[in-house]
Amino acid sequence: MSSSLQKILNNINGGSAPVELQGLAGSSKALVVSMLSKISGQSPGETAPVVVVCESFDIAEVLLHDIYYYFGREGVYFFPFWDVLPYDNFSPHKGLTAQRFQTLDALLNQQARILITTPNALMQCFLPRNDFLKNTITLTNEFVGSPDEIGKQLLNSGYIQVDVVEELGEFSTHGGILDVFPLNLEKPVRIEFSENSKAHFLKPFDIQTQHTDQTELSSLKILPAGEILFNQENIDFARKSLPEYRKECAPEVLLRLRQSLQKKEGFPGIESLSPLFYPELETLFDYFPDELILIIDEEKNVNKRADSFYQEVFMEYEISTQQNKLTLSPESLFLTHRELQTKLTKHVSLVLNSMKINNTKARTVHQLQFVDNKSLRNQFESAKATSAAGYMVQLLQKWQSSGTPVLLSAKNQTHADGFQQLLDDLGVESTAAGDQLTTNRCPWLDWLEKNDTENTSGSIPILTGKVSSGFRKLDSNGKALFVLLTEEEVFGEKTRNRRLQRAQVHQTAGNLDDLREGDHVVHLDYGIGRYHGLQKISAGGNQNEFMQLVFARDEKVYVPVENIHLVQKYVNADGTTPKLSKLGEKAWKKTRSKVAKTVENIAEELADI
């Protein structure tokens, strides 16, 4: 079925029957999502958010940045899954938790226009809306109180008290001054109180210099700092829940958890025990408003990923139980893949597929002709052109002379100016659009439907912004009706990568023959530990071999032998015994970042010689 894209999008809403668009390629999916959100935003009443489910984090991130290009950043959010495995001995990165919580806050306050997520994240259970709202703190410059009073609220909301604030989720008090680094801000904020306990000012400040900005804030929202909140209500619930698990783990495990509750302190990986702290967990579906437009990107891949993820959860569950840890059931922490598919089927409004497939589901299917530009440059030989760049110039001139809407895109204004100069030298008339024609304000629908070619005839506009790729819209005979090309698609990639990639680590890492029990080793992600030999662990019906590494506080990590490239024998020139790394703490990450930066600086100096 073929129809105008504008008509198709106009008829999609939260209550309509599902529609499937096939034949999308390049960044055209992001453009469709952006246009749909703009169209739904023109309707009277509250704007329903557009929620897009992508199969993986990487694909979601590409789509997210492409949507920034077509739609802008305002109202666009990403809700990722954790960067750690289920039942792992590690907590998710604070920056990732911040991204998740900012998205939840936007949903609860009807500020989300477009939301990108993955099946893993949708299946996950976490703190309920009521707890999230109760532990969100709002202050104004009219606030009357004391730093200690706010400090107690911050502790209940998951913030950690330190001497000097350096990281997200930290706060400190010094006399009449309170510093806090909220998860929803890029800079920490200093609150200074006057003698009558009134907030004198709220100002962002620089971590390095400790100097406050000139700009004062009239109000400050502070989101919760963690997925486990050690307030009295949650602690009391956890204490009542613990006796149920006496038979499921070693006594020392329960003792450690009781001590954490007593001190109101978490430990790495405590997030996998969230059902102990909340009577009932919720999922992202519970945070969604009643009206939404749900889009599934590559439905078959999303369902397949949900299935494999739930199998992965079960395998991690079996490994965790064999390690005698307190391990809660997968059903208490995640939706099953079948439960997810049921919810997606109930809410879905639009399915996007790059391929044309035969679908037996009862839905309207529209066939589109959007193709990517990956193979364009490689066609120069069959076209008997002298070079790929020369062939692309010929195509641009052909499209330009025929009145086909053509747009070019450069990463920034400097690139756009260079792009224009090069094209002019090759006989292609182009214009760097600059601020006169920004990507989020372009009449994309008019151009795609070829209702308005005024801005695309004659000189070819060069837009500025980062987009993963362009695309072409074709007619049934393969003729281009609309073209968007990036500078890389015209003149080829120009990459200069000095960073050490994980794949390269294979070539430099040691092997098991070099290791003896008791040797100190360095794990790329976890830091310095001791090698305690090999251990066979059964999981998912298979028996696999793991390296047992022991870190500070006698915490153990089991590394599959196929990941030996992540582990190297520790070598110290002076022969002193190294200090073992503490899992989940910042010290190793800071050391690794500092070394990586030093290596990169040296590489840059060598490259300049």
Side-chain angles (χ1 to χ4, degrees):
M1 179 178 178
S2 179
S3 183
S4 159
L5 183 59
Q6 184 155 8
K7 287 181 181 177
I8 296 170
L9 298 180
N10 282 338
N11 291 327
I12 294 173
N13 57 65
S16 62
V19 171
E20 183 171 337
L21 297 183
Q22 297 182 358
L24 293 166
S27 60
S28 64
K29 288 180 182 177
L31 179 55
V32 167
V33 172
S34 301
M35 290 190 298
L36 181 57
S37 180
K38 288 181 179 180
I39 290 171
S40 68
Q42 295 168 1
S43 305
E46 287 187 3
T47 301
V50 175
V51 178
V52 189
V53 186
C54 299
E55 63 175 287
S56 69
F57 179 95
D58 292 340
I59 291 173
E61 213 170 28
V62 171
L63 181 69
L64 177 72
H65 287 92
D66 285 349
I67 287 172
Y68 289 159
Y69 180 83
Y70 292 112
F71 187 85
R73 288 177 173 264
E74 188 175 351
V76 181
Y77 293 87
F78 180 30
F79 189 83
F81 182 63
W82 291 340
D83 57 341
V84 294
L85 291 170
Y87 304 107
D88 213 341
N89 288 325
F90 304 97
S91 293
H93 190 274
K94 275 292 181 190
L96 189 138
T97 301
Q99 192 173 25
R100 287 162 60 91
F101 280 15
Q102 287 173 41
T103 302
L104 297 181
D105 181 60
L107 281 171
L108 292 173
N109 290 283
Q110 292 83 47
Q111 294 171 343
R113 291 285 304 278
I114 299 175
L115 190 159
I116 316 297
T117 190
T118 64
N120 304 30
L122 281 173
M123 292 166 75
Q124 188 179 20
C125 301
F126 46 84
L127 79 166
R129 288 160 291 171
N130 189 42
D131 283 81
F132 186 89
L133 290 168
K134 277 197 306 185
N135 291 282
T136 296
I137 303 167
T138 302
L139 301 173
T140 69
N141 52 11
E142 299 293 322
F143 174 81
V144 177
S146 68
D148 289 341
E149 186 180 334
I150 299 175
K152 288 177 183 177
Q153 289 180 277
L154 289 170
L155 287 170
N156 284 337
S157 294
Y159 284 77
I160 299 170
Q161 188 164 11
V162 295
D163 291 329
V164 179
V165 170
E166 294 180 318
E167 304 277 351
L168 286 166
E170 295 179 344
F171 80 96
S172 67
T173 56
H174 299 282
I177 294 175
L178 182 141
D179 292 345
V180 60
F181 203 152
L183 260 66
N184 46 310
L185 295 181
E186 293 181 1
K187 277 186 171 184
V189 175
R190 179 161 294 153
I191 307 171
E192 185 172 308
F193 291 83
S194 58
E195 291 181 2
N196 59 2
S197 298
K198 182 182 176 183
H200 183 54
F201 66 70
L202 293 80
K203 290 184 178 181
F205 69 91
D206 184 85
I207 291 174
Q208 303 298 329
T209 65
Q210 292 291 302
H211 293 160
T212 55
D213 293 354
Q214 294 298 317
T215 308
E216 287 193 35
L217 304 176
S218 58
S219 63
L220 175 64
K221 176 185 276 190
I222 304 173
L223 298 183
E227 310 219 8
I228 302 294
L229 304 178
F230 279 93
N231 53 46
Q232 199 57 49
E233 183 181 347
N234 294 345
I235 289 171
D236 290 342
F237 183 79
R239 282 178 176 150
K240 291 177 183 176
S241 305
L242 273 181
E244 301 174 21
Y245 300 95
R246 283 176 184 164
K247 297 179 181 179
E248 298 185 23
C249 61
E252 58 267 22
V253 175
L254 289 179
L255 177 62
R256 182 187 176 191
L257 188 51
R258 285 196 181 95
Q259 289 171 343
S260 292
L261 294 174
Q262 184 71 31
K263 297 176 183 177
K264 296 186 177 182
E265 289 179 355
F267 52 83
I270 193 172
E271 289 79 8
S272 291
L273 300 178
S274 54
L276 288 178
F277 293 85
Y278 305 104
E280 190 171 345
L281 297 177
E282 293 184 341
T283 68
L284 195 57
F285 286 100
D286 296 299
Y287 280 77
F288 289 153
D290 294 334
E291 294 293 326
L292 76 153
I293 298 172
L294 181 69
I295 300 175
I296 302 177
D297 177 33
E298 305 294 342
E299 186 176 30
K300 184 178 178 181
N301 294 347
V302 166
N303 290 337
K304 186 178 178 182
R305 179 60 191 138
D307 187 15
S308 63
F309 175 67
Y310 201 64
Q311 290 180 29
E312 184 182 351
V313 169
F314 251 98
M315 190 173 85
E316 294 296 328
Y317 168 74
E318 290 182 7
I319 292 173
S320 182
T321 53
Q322 290 177 30
Q323 293 173 359
N324 210 13
K325 290 161 51 179
L326 178 54
T327 308
L328 306 186
S329 69
E331 294 87 353
S332 66
L333 293 167
F334 298 94
L335 297 176
T336 68
H337 57 290
R338 292 187 180 87
E339 287 173 326
L340 175 66
Q341 287 170 15
T342 299
K343 286 181 177 291
L344 291 178
T345 302
K346 177 183 176 182
H347 293 286
V348 66
S349 301
L350 177 64
V351 175
L352 305 178
N353 280 317
S354 53
M355 305 290 290
K356 294 180 180 179
I357 54 176
N358 294 322
N359 204 322
T360 57
K361 295 187 178 180
R363 62 173 65 138
T364 304
V365 177
H366 297 277
Q367 304 281 359
L368 303 175
Q369 284 275 90
F370 287 76
V371 296
D372 60 44
N373 301 319
K374 291 177 183 176
S375 61
L376 265 184
R377 283 173 51 83
N378 297 330
Q379 295 173 10
F380 78 95
E381 290 182 350
S382 59
K384 297 182 180 179
T386 55
S387 66
Y391 175 64
M392 294 304 297
V393 168
Q394 290 175 19
L395 281 178
L396 287 172
Q397 290 170 334
K398 173 187 169 184
W399 289 325
Q400 194 173 21
S401 62
S402 65
T404 302
V406 180
L407 290 168
L408 301 174
S409 186
K411 292 176 182 176
N412 52 47
Q413 192 59 48
T414 303
H415 279 242
D417 293 338
F419 199 5
Q420 179 190 355
Q421 183 62 55
L422 188 53
L423 288 171
D424 286 350
D425 292 343
L426 294 169
V428 178
E429 188 181 348
S430 61
T431 305
D435 295 334
Q436 296 178 359
L437 192 64
T438 57
T439 55
N440 62 328
R441 294 206 304 266
C442 289
W444 294 105
L445 264 178
D446 290 335
W447 289 338
L448 282 171
E449 304 296 338
K450 212 174 180 182
N451 296 329
D452 177 11
T453 58
E454 181 183 345
N455 292 326
T456 56
S457 59
S459 182
I460 300 176
I462 302 176
L463 307 174
T464 56
K466 293 180 180 178
V467 66
S468 64
S469 60
F471 62 90
R472 287 165 290 145
K473 180 187 177 185
L474 308 180
D475 65 12
S476 56
N477 297 317
K479 180 186 175 184
L481 300 176
F482 172 85
V483 180
L484 172 66
L485 287 163
T486 66
E487 55 184 321
E488 293 83 9
E489 289 168 343
V490 176
F491 291 119
E493 292 280 351
K494 294 179 182 178
T495 58
R496 187 183 177 191
N497 189 3
R498 302 191 193 102
R499 292 186 181 275
L500 180 66
Q501 300 297 322
R502 274 179 176 261
Q504 294 174 291
V505 178
H506 285 274
Q507 301 170 10
T508 57
N511 56 61
L512 286 172
D513 295 335
D514 298 331
L515 296 178
R516 299 287 181 271
E517 286 196 35
D519 282 351
H520 285 88
V521 294
V522 180
H523 190 287
L524 188 63
D525 292 325
Y526 308 144
I528 300 173
R530 263 196 324 274
Y531 174 64
H532 275 217
L534 297 175
Q535 185 169 333
K536 290 184 178 180
I537 298 177
S538 297
N542 298 317
Q543 196 172 57
N544 299 301
E545 211 165 22
F546 293 78
M547 293 178 286
Q548 187 185 71
L549 307 184
V550 179
F551 293 84
R553 299 182 293 211
D554 204 34
E555 292 178 314
K556 297 180 179 66
V557 170
Y558 293 86
V559 181
V561 290
E562 59 265 27
N563 289 347
I564 180 66
H565 59 279
L566 299 178
V567 180
Q568 281 187 298
K569 187 174 180 178
Y570 179 86
V571 179
N572 191 348
D574 58 15
T576 57
T577 302
K579 184 179 179 182
L580 298 183
S581 300
K582 293 180 180 179
L583 296 182
E585 294 200 350
K586 305 170 193 170
W588 173 248
K589 290 180 182 177
K590 286 184 177 179
T591 302
R592 184 175 147 188
S593 298
K594 194 181 294 182
V595 171
K597 185 64 179 174
T598 303
V599 170
E600 189 171 348
N601 290 339
I602 293 171
E604 287 179 358
E605 290 172 10
L606 290 172
D608 292 335
I609 295 175

